[in-house]
Every structure is written in C-alpha cells, then in structure tokens.
Amino acid sequence: MNFSFQIYSPEEQIHDSKFEDKNISVYIKRDDKIHPFISGNKWRKLKYQLEEAKEQQINHLVTFGGAWSNHLLATAAAAAQFGFRATAYVRGEEIQNPVLDMCRLFGMNLLFVDRESYRNKEELFQRGHNPQTSYFIDEGGKSDLGMKGCAEIISELEQQYDHIFVASGTGTTVAGIQLGIAKNNLQTKVHSIPVLKGAEFLKNEFQSWNIDPKLITLHLDYHFSGYAKVKPDLIAFIKSFISSTGIMIEPTYTGKLLFGVYDLIEKEYFKPNSKILVIHTGGITGLLGHLQHFNR
C-alpha cells in the first residue's frame, strides 16, 4: 500500500510593509495544503509509522491526545483512508466536541481516561492491547520515524533561507527540520516557537535524539500562558493576519508562531536582507475550540 500523497506544499511570500521597512523577506511553506485533515506535520509524523505498522502486518493504531487534538483527527482520517482500525485514549473527562465527532465519523474508538492515568501512555497501551496486533503511536506522533518524515521538508524547498521557524509541542518537527538541515549541509538557522509554558525541557529532548540543542534556537516568550491559552493581543493578531493574507491560522500553534516571527522582526532581531521561512504545520481545526474568542 502506498502511503504517499501527491505533496502540495508551496512556498509563498508574505507581503507586509513592516517587512519592507526592515528589508526582510518572509515566506511560508503551506504544509496545511497537503490534506484537509491529515495536514502539515501531522501527515509527516504519521507517514513512516503507518508504513512500519503495515510492514509488521498490524492493522490497529493506538494513539493519545487531548479533546481538541489535531493529531487524533489526523490519525483517525489516515486510519480510515489506509485501511486501519484506530483507538485513541483521550485525556480528561468524557466530552463531545466537533473534533471528536469527526474522529468518530472516521471510525476511531475513543477511550476517555483521567489525567493521572494518561501520564503513563505505555502502561495504558500494554494493559489494553497486544503489541503484536496493535501499533503504538505516541501523543502528537512523537517518534524517530516522525522526525524522519519532518526532515523531508528541507529536501522539498525551492530556495534557501537564512532562518526557518516552526511551532513546537513535542519538538519532533523542529528536530526533524534540524536533521534535514544537517543532511543537506545547509547553514540555515533553525528556530522553535514553543507553545508550552516552561519549554526548556525541549533541550533535553533534542539531546536524547543526539541533536545539539545549541543548533536550535528556542524563543520561549510566545506561549501566551501555556498550551491552548490565548490572550486578546494574540486573537487580534490572528484576525489581522488572516484578513490581510488569506491564510488561515489558529491560536494553538500557527498563530503563536507567526506572532513571534512578526514580533522578532519588529524588534530587529534579524539582519537586513534576511530571508525567513515559516512552516505552516496545518491543524486548522484547532480554531474550533477557540471560536468564542473571535466573536467578541
């Protein structure tokens, strides 16, 4: 079975008078266009894990996430498209929302677990599933195979950049990008905008993957109080960005990412003539959990 889409992820320039004033050029890689539901880094992190599951003749995917998880929806859609069964352990009390409804439509079985039990995902998997017939996919698709898929972003690029920025949760995507930079012998500087508060832990993650943390610059001031948290200035920025570019972004990942890039440009972080690439990691359905903030 072929797990490859015809990848469509163009690099588009974002035009803004602020960039021209600073003599900076900004591009965005539209990984959100890869697939309506298995978009962005979600597809890249799943791709090789699906291949491995099929090679092992395993047809049941077991994964983990929160109630608004784009990863759960991507896994559910991928399972339906490529002939797997799918089960997800959902963190917290049982609720109903549009993302989980779509997961169910794709045939995913949802198991809600308390937050304490959720912390030990391996134990949940071992207790409820046979590893010979079920395939473990960590929260957010975090894995070495996920990094391998994300590294392919670099080989797709149509031009070279001085800086590449991506939002980070588990750190898998930015680690993969750094691996791709090294593989292609590029001098591009890699930057992460973590969406979690206290994301210094990512440095330890990079070390565990044999990546020098000094090669990835963490910008730790754009989490807006924590994962999936928002503030009025972030919402105002997202509304302005969408209406001026026609590119849909959301508050959990891509909104914080682009807010950070714009802020760093405003603060003259970059040298004149710098060329910046922002990776749009998809997950637009993340908007559904925040629509109330945009109607005020």
Side-chain angles (χ1 to χ4, degrees), residues 1-4 43 47 50-55 58-59 78-84:
M1 183 175 292
N2 185 0
F3 292 104
S4 295
W43 168 245
K47 174 183 174 182
L50 297 181
E51 285 189 359
E52 182 175 76
K54 192 60 70 172
E55 287 170 0
I58 294 174
N59 66 0
Q81 181 160 344
F82 297 114
F84 294 93

Side-chain angles (χ1 to χ4, degrees), residues 79-108:
Q81 181 160 344
F82 297 114
F84 294 93
R85 291 189 302 113
T87 295
Y89 287 88
V90 186
R91 181 181 62 249
E93 64 281 356
E94 184 169 353
I95 65 168
Q96 188 171 0
N97 66 40
V99 170
L100 296 178
D101 288 343
M102 285 189 283
C103 288
R104 290 189 178 96
L105 280 172
F106 281 122
M108 176 175 269

Side-chain angles (χ1 to χ4, degrees), residues 15-263:
H15 297 282
D16 192 295
S17 59
K18 297 176 183 178
F19 305 160
E20 296 173 7
D21 293 343
K22 304 292 185 183
N23 200 16
I24 299 291
S25 57
V26 179
Y27 293 77
I28 183 166
K29 183 162 173 60
R30 298 293 305 276
D31 264 15
D32 57 309
K33 292 188 174 185
I34 291 175
H35 188 278
F37 301 106
I38 324 169
S39 67
N41 62 346
K42 288 75 181 168
W43 168 245
R44 295 187 185 277
K45 289 191 281 186
L46 284 172
K47 174 183 174 182
Y48 288 111
Q49 297 190 74
L50 297 181
E51 285 189 359
E52 182 175 76
K54 192 60 70 172
E55 287 170 0
Q56 296 175 1
Q57 298 184 322
I58 294 174
N59 66 0
H60 182 205
L61 309 177
V62 180
T63 194
F64 307 81
W68 292 94
S69 170
N70 293 308
H71 165 70
L72 293 191
L73 181 56
T75 304
Q81 181 160 344
F82 297 114
F84 294 93
R85 291 189 302 113
T87 295
Y89 287 88
V90 186
R91 181 181 62 249
E93 64 281 356
E94 184 169 353
I95 65 168
Q96 188 171 0
N97 66 40
V99 170
L100 296 178
D101 288 343
M102 285 189 283
C103 288
R104 290 189 178 96
L105 280 172
F106 281 122
M108 176 175 269
N109 180 34
L110 303 178
L111 304 174
F112 293 83
V113 296
D114 64 84
R115 294 174 185 274
E116 184 64 32
S117 299
Y118 184 86
R119 290 177 183 175
N120 197 332
K121 301 172 187 63
E122 289 279 1
E123 182 178 324
L124 284 172
F125 178 77
Q126 295 290 341
R127 191 169 61 205
H129 307 279
N130 181 349
Q132 293 182 337
T133 57
S134 299
Y135 187 88
F136 176 93
I137 300 178
D138 207 346
E139 183 175 18
K142 176 183 176 183
S143 70
D144 290 346
L145 292 175
M147 282 193 294
K148 178 182 177 182
C150 291
E152 294 177 350
I153 291 172
I154 302 305
S155 60
E156 295 174 11
L157 297 182
E158 300 171 356
Q159 53 186 320
Q160 293 190 19
Y161 298 89
D162 301 300
H163 304 270
I164 294 181
F165 275 78
V166 68
S168 294
T170 65
T172 304
T173 304
V174 72
I177 288 171
Q178 179 55 48
L179 290 176
I181 291 292
K183 181 179 179 180
N184 288 275
N185 296 313
L186 302 178
Q187 299 302 312
T188 307
K189 295 181 180 177
V190 179
H191 302 258
S192 163
I193 302 282
V195 301
L196 301 168
K197 190 175 182 179
E200 293 89 348
F201 74 88
L202 287 174
K203 295 179 181 179
N204 294 328
E205 294 288 343
F206 300 149
Q207 285 182 324
S208 71
W209 291 324
N210 296 316
I211 296 174
D212 184 353
K214 295 178 182 178
L215 296 175
I216 300 173
T217 301
L218 297 178
H219 300 272
L220 299 169
D221 299 327
Y222 300 107
H223 53 73
F224 291 88
S225 298
Y227 183 75
K229 299 292 182 63
V230 300
K231 291 187 177 181
D233 50 345
L234 175 62
I235 297 301
F237 169 81
I238 291 172
K239 292 170 71 173
S240 174
F241 180 87
I242 294 173
S243 63
S244 63
T245 65
I247 300 171
M248 191 66 68
I249 57 175
E250 45 68 49
T252 303
Y253 290 96
T254 48
K256 293 179 180 180
L257 167 66
L258 281 152
F259 185 101
V261 171
Y262 273 64
D263 188 57

